[in-house]
Amino acid sequence: MGSLEPGGINANTCKVVEQMVKGQKVEATTLTNSTLENASSAGPPPVAFYYLKAVQLTDPRDAITAIGYVRSAQELQPQWMRAFSFEAELQMRIQKFSNAANLYTKILNATNNRHTVSQISLGVIEYRNFNRIERAYNILQPLLSQPKVEAPTEILSRGYLALAEISTRYRKSEEALAYCKKSYATDPTNAQARDLCVALGGKGAVANTNVDVRSYITQGDQFFREGQLEAATSYYQTAYQLDTTSAIAAMKAGKSLWALSMSQEAITWINRAIKADPKLIEAYVTLSEYYALKYDFISANKILEKANSVSPNSFEVYYGLANVQYLQKNYSHAINYGQKALKLYQADTKTHILMAKAYLKLQEYNKAYASANSAVELDSNDREAQVTLASALAGIQGVSSG
């Protein structure tokens, strides 16, 4: 990416994708819109941006508009199968299942039946929406009987569940249970798969199913970045229930619950994280912040004292102490602790931001600017760092500059 022309189509494509991955929806949409509006008629058409615009239109009421954008991408680059498969997803969203099936069939014909997502999706449509049981089985079974199938977890789980249900109709109970367990292992949040497994093999069928907990934490992270907090919480909690030693899953569940304004539940889950891994300092720091935000500064500081006994002279503990002091409006003390944190770890973006905010409160705008600028240099995509930098600049040069 370093050799790309700044502000060009390719550079902007990378930038928008990065923003979308980080959950920066407003920034991604703004850059997408401006790129589409400013694309020169003499230059290459922004094919990727038609697709990206369609992806950004997540409101169900915008599905028809999204289809229009993705079809523009198809016309400009007809060999790009993802543009066709995404339209199929949109058609399913508006319950145009025949249109979706036609698109998936078109993709499979073009790829000689080598497009896994299309094959699974078509099989599921044939079974659930058209009730063509034998045809669905013939589409799904040869693919999903293979040892390893590469596809998004939600789609894979749907395919395995459809096969399990079809197998029960064929009175193949062992085969049905095997597919059902694969469906549940692929996506433990799939309640239908779990219930069918229990019905076919009892509670032990679910308990003995091997599940990759890490994949559910990763999926939860994606939902959290996208602002889908309920879904994120569900994935984190499921991951913890599957592995009660996963302190990371419990901590992230707590953070999601806090973002949902469920403060007491959040604190309960952060405590579970600390119990699962007493050396996870981030959990102590997070818990101290939550108590401080509830104006219980005594508990906040006690938690950090405990963290310090677990990990003496930790930059994370010093950041936590700085944060609690900032929330108590003791800005000079916050700066002192922040400086101690940075002596131990100079590249901690959040400490630089906190220092800048404390300097702003003290109206020391040049120092605030220096700290905020350090944060931006470490992570130019950090929204809070950019806002703090603008506030510092406004303090130095005036509101218009900021």
Side-chain angles (χ1 to χ4, degrees), residues 252-274:
K252 291 188 173 186
K255 289 183 176 181
S256 292
L257 287 163
W258 185 268
L260 287 166
S261 299
M262 301 174 70
S263 59
Q264 195 53 52
E265 292 88 343
I267 288 171
T268 298
W269 277 89
I270 299 296
N271 277 315
R272 284 176 183 164
I274 292 172

Side-chain angles (χ1 to χ4, degrees), residues 77-333:
Q77 197 166 329
Q79 71 274 22
W80 189 19
M81 292 299 104
R82 178 55 188 153
F84 291 92
S85 66
F86 186 61
E87 185 192 342
E89 293 172 26
L90 292 168
Q91 295 287 356
M92 290 180 68
R93 217 179 274 176
I94 58 175
Q95 299 187 349
K96 300 288 186 180
F97 300 111
S98 294
N99 292 349
N102 289 336
L103 284 161
Y104 286 130
T105 301
K106 182 177 182 178
I107 293 168
L108 290 170
N109 289 337
T111 60
N112 197 24
N113 292 324
R114 291 179 180 173
H115 197 272
T116 303
V117 169
S118 295
Q119 194 169 343
I120 295 172
S121 299
L122 180 60
V124 172
I125 289 173
E126 292 284 356
Y127 168 60
R128 297 208 178 279
N129 304 109
F130 301 154
N131 201 33
R132 296 174 183 166
I133 298 172
E134 187 172 354
R135 175 165 167 72
Y137 186 83
N138 290 336
I139 292 172
L140 294 170
Q141 196 275 339
L143 174 65
L144 296 181
S145 61
Q146 296 176 21
K148 187 171 180 63
V149 184
E150 296 291 340
T153 56
E154 187 179 357
I155 292 172
L156 260 181
S157 183
R158 274 192 232 135
Y160 284 128
L161 180 60
L163 265 183
E165 292 178 3
I166 292 170
S167 296
T168 59
R169 292 196 180 196
Y170 288 161
R171 300 185 184 279
K172 298 179 179 180
S173 56
E174 289 186 10
E175 182 180 287
L177 181 57
Y179 285 128
C180 183
K181 290 174 75 172
K182 284 186 176 182
S183 177
Y184 177 73
T186 305
D187 182 4
T189 64
N190 189 332
Q192 288 179 290
R194 183 192 63 235
D195 293 344
L196 183 57
C197 285
V198 171
L200 292 169
K203 292 184 178 180
V206 173
N208 296 327
T209 301
N210 293 323
V211 176
D212 184 359
V213 172
R214 290 171 300 177
S215 66
Y216 295 97
I217 295 175
T218 301
Q219 186 65 56
D221 290 344
Q222 183 62 35
F223 280 125
F224 190 89
R225 285 192 295 269
E226 294 172 354
Q228 299 183 49
L229 299 175
E230 292 87 353
T233 303
S234 176
Y235 272 90
Y236 292 142
Q237 289 178 334
T238 300
Y240 177 78
Q241 288 160 5
L242 293 165
D243 179 9
T244 54
T245 68
S246 179
I248 295 295
M251 181 181 68
K252 291 188 173 186
K255 289 183 176 181
S256 292
L257 287 163
W258 185 268
L260 287 166
S261 299
M262 301 174 70
S263 59
Q264 195 53 52
E265 292 88 343
I267 288 171
T268 298
W269 277 89
I270 299 296
N271 277 315
R272 284 176 183 164
I274 292 172
K275 185 177 180 180
D277 182 2
K279 294 183 179 180
L280 184 61
I281 301 303
E282 185 182 353
Y284 293 95
V285 173
T286 302
L287 188 58
S288 73
E289 179 178 356
Y290 291 172
Y291 275 114
L293 288 168
K294 291 167 69 72
Y295 302 102
D296 186 353
F297 299 110
I298 294 174
S299 295
N301 282 301
K302 283 183 178 179
I303 290 162
L304 291 171
E305 286 176 12
K306 186 176 180 181
N308 189 57
S309 68
V310 172
S311 180
N313 206 33
S314 163
F315 82 90
E316 290 180 286
V317 174
Y318 281 127
Y319 165 79
L321 290 165
N323 191 36
V324 170
Q325 290 298 319
Y326 178 83
L327 293 171
Q328 281 187 271
K329 300 183 180 180
N330 296 328
Y331 304 121
S332 295
H333 289 155

Side-chain angles (χ1 to χ4, degrees), residues 335-391:
I335 290 167
N336 289 336
Y337 281 121
Q339 289 171 339
K340 291 180 180 181
L342 292 175
K343 282 182 181 179
L344 294 168
Y345 184 45
Q346 187 65 33
D348 187 42
T349 306
K350 62 185 181 183
T351 301
H352 284 291
I353 294 171
L354 184 61
M355 293 272 288
K357 289 164 67 176
Y359 280 126
L360 281 173
K361 292 293 186 180
L362 296 173
Q363 298 184 1
E364 297 185 31
Y365 297 116
N366 288 318
K367 290 181 179 180
Y369 182 87
S371 292
N373 191 54
S374 295
V376 171
E377 287 177 351
L378 288 166
D379 185 358
S380 61
N381 290 312
D382 191 302
R383 187 181 308 173
E384 189 177 12
Q386 295 281 5
V387 171
T388 308
L389 182 65
S391 298

